[in-house]
Amino acid sequence: MTELLEIHDLRVAFGGREAVRGVELTVGRGKTLAVVGESGCGKSLTALALLGLAPPAAHVSGSATLGGTELIGRADRELRRLRGKRAAMIFQDPMSSLNPTTRIGTQIAEVLAIHTSLGRRERLRRAVELMESVGITDAARRAKQMPHELSGGMRQRVMISIALAGSPELLIADEPTTALDVTVQAQVLALLRERTRDTALLFITHDMGVVAEIADRVAVMYAGRVVETGTVRAILETPRHPYTAALLRSVPDPDRPVAGELPTIPGQVPAVGAKIEGCPFRPRCGHADDTCHTTPPLTGGVACWHPRTEVPA
Ligand SMILES: Nc1ncnc2c1ncn2[C@@H]1O[C@H](COP(=O)(O)OP(=O)(O)OP(=O)(O)O)[C@@H](O)[C@H]1O
Ligand code: SF4
Ligand SMILES: [Mg+2]
């Protein structure tokens, strides 16, 4: 059986410079895939390209199918209809998606107007119910408030309720808890986990602690490509790509990674559009040989000529 989301050779370029360079990914129905990697490796662009939300200057090519429907190259009008209904996205900063001058309840009701046939009063009532369902207390009063009157955590709860209002098959969350303090982060994560039991979740994060918490599978991105995918357990316990291993190295216990940013790895991610010969990770890799210098490793499995086999100490 085919997976819910299948991405093949997805590319995003700006004036011929490729920021996403042939991404291969799949997400199963109701499953959670965490996408990790350093800043600038193309995580957000990959997600935005799927929903037709990449910047206008971006040239997107390749294939991404959602339940068999091709998303890449679709007309804006068709993608707008698809967004919210079959796939929805939440961002790090909920203020970027909320209208600052419209009451919260009205904004949720507007989304319900698109996805349901409920009448006006019913929609407002349902909006309050949705707010309650994401753990917002005193929802009837809060529904009348403006976005700035809510805390960051409350706003992110509102965004989750809006994203799930159309019962999408796929929810994409791009660092949804990064801007929140640790306690609120844990609450919002628990909420996402609970509310996405039947919804596939593509979860973009820097935080290895969060990965263990939420994901079934992990995809590690480097320089615009997926360099390794596997179950959470395989990735955390026996990373095979030297980059994955480097990301995990400063995590003391692979079963219980510490929350926080990814550890820093010496050296830098190649710049977008930089000419890359051989393996993009080579300048930072302790295992490189002549082949790594001259020939790019194959993508699809572990994108490395010399994958690690030993269990890291
Ligand atoms: N509008 C744009 N024009 C030109 N280059 C862009 C544009 N948007 C993104 N890029 C480039 O694409 C690369 C990948 O960006 P992307 O936002 O996908 O990274 P990311 O993995 O999400 O990073 P972060 O973890 O910092 O969010 C970046 O290095 C950036 O320079
Ligand atoms: S292909 Fe070579 S340089 Fe690249 S990660 Fe593997 S060992 Fe390191
Ligand atoms: Mg990003």
Side-chain angles (χ1 to χ4, degrees):
M1 193 160 112
T2 56
E3 305 270 21
L4 175 69
L5 178 69
E6 297 197 350
I7 305 177
H8 293 298
D9 199 29
L10 183 71
R11 293 172 186 272
V12 182
F14 297 94
R17 294 162 184 262
E18 276 192 333
V20 173
R21 305 184 307 124
V23 160
E24 304 282 333
L25 275 184
T26 59
V27 186
R29 288 174 176 77
K31 298 288 186 205
T32 296
L33 174 77
V35 178
V36 298
E38 283 163 295
S39 190
C41 67
K43 305 181 295 296
S44 296
L45 277 178
T46 298
L48 293 168
L50 295 179
L51 300 186
L53 297 171
H59 180 259
V60 180
S61 66
S63 165
T65 55
L66 179 67
T69 309
E70 179 63 55
L71 302 176
I72 307 303
R74 272 200 120 68
D76 278 352
R77 184 168 38 83
E78 292 173 323
L79 281 169
R80 251 197 311 272
R81 202 162 355 147
L82 202 129
R83 285 200 292 269
K85 192 68 213 159
R86 297 192 58 191
M89 186 155 177
I90 54 177
F91 300 90
Q92 178 173 331
D93 173 19
M95 277 310 249
S96 64
S97 316
L98 288 169
N99 182 337
T101 59
T102 305
R103 294 173 201 275
I104 294 289
T106 311
Q107 296 198 47
I108 301 175
E110 280 168 2
V111 178
L112 290 169
I114 303 170
H115 300 302
T116 70
S117 53
L118 296 174
R120 208 186 83 88
R121 289 180 76 106
E122 279 293 295
R123 290 200 295 268
L124 281 169
R125 204 179 50 76
R126 180 84 186 111
V128 173
E129 274 175 19
L130 276 170
M131 290 174 70
E132 282 165 350
S133 77
V134 292
I136 298 178
T137 52
D138 204 3
R141 185 177 60 86
R142 291 196 178 272
K144 298 196 180 96
Q145 292 186 316
M146 296 294 180
H148 73 264
E149 295 179 87
L150 269 62
S151 67
M154 286 294 166
R155 286 198 289 262
Q156 202 56 293
R157 283 171 190 269
V158 168
M159 287 318 300
I160 293 169
S161 77
I162 289 178
L164 295 174
S167 306
E169 297 151 87
L170 174 71
L171 177 66
I172 301 176
D174 191 352
E175 315 244 11
T177 61
T178 308
L180 307 174
D181 72 50
V182 179
T183 324
V184 181
Q185 244 182 47
Q187 292 165 356
V188 171
L189 270 186
L191 173 70
L192 261 180
R193 221 176 18 226
E194 180 197 313
R195 293 298 313 275
T196 55
R197 274 205 199 116
D198 306 318
T199 309
L201 178 61
L202 196 157
F203 191 96
I204 298 172
T205 182
H206 274 115
D207 187 333
M208 281 301 196
V210 170
V211 168
E213 233 14 58
I214 202 156
D216 300 300
R217 295 181 65 80
V218 181
V220 180
M221 281 189 71
Y222 189 73
R225 282 194 184 137
V226 174
V227 296
E228 179 169 13
T229 54
T231 62
V232 168
R233 198 184 158 137
I235 293 285
L236 295 181
E237 290 181 10
T238 52
R240 304 201 61 217
H241 196 286
Y243 178 62
T244 314
L247 286 181
L248 288 165
R249 198 154 295 140
S250 69
V251 177
D253 178 351
D255 286 330
R256 243 168 295 138
V258 285
E261 294 291 290
L262 291 174
T264 26
I265 302 168
Q268 273 177 4
V269 182
V272 170
K275 190 163 158 30
I276 299 170
E277 267 170 42
C279 172
F281 190 57
R282 199 230 345 121
R284 305 169 78 186
C285 184
H287 308 281
D289 67 3
D290 289 349
T291 311
C292 306
H293 276 257
T294 52
T295 321
L298 304 173
T299 54
V302 181
C304 175
W305 292 119
H306 311 291
R308 307 294 83 209
T309 48
E310 75 275 24
V311 179

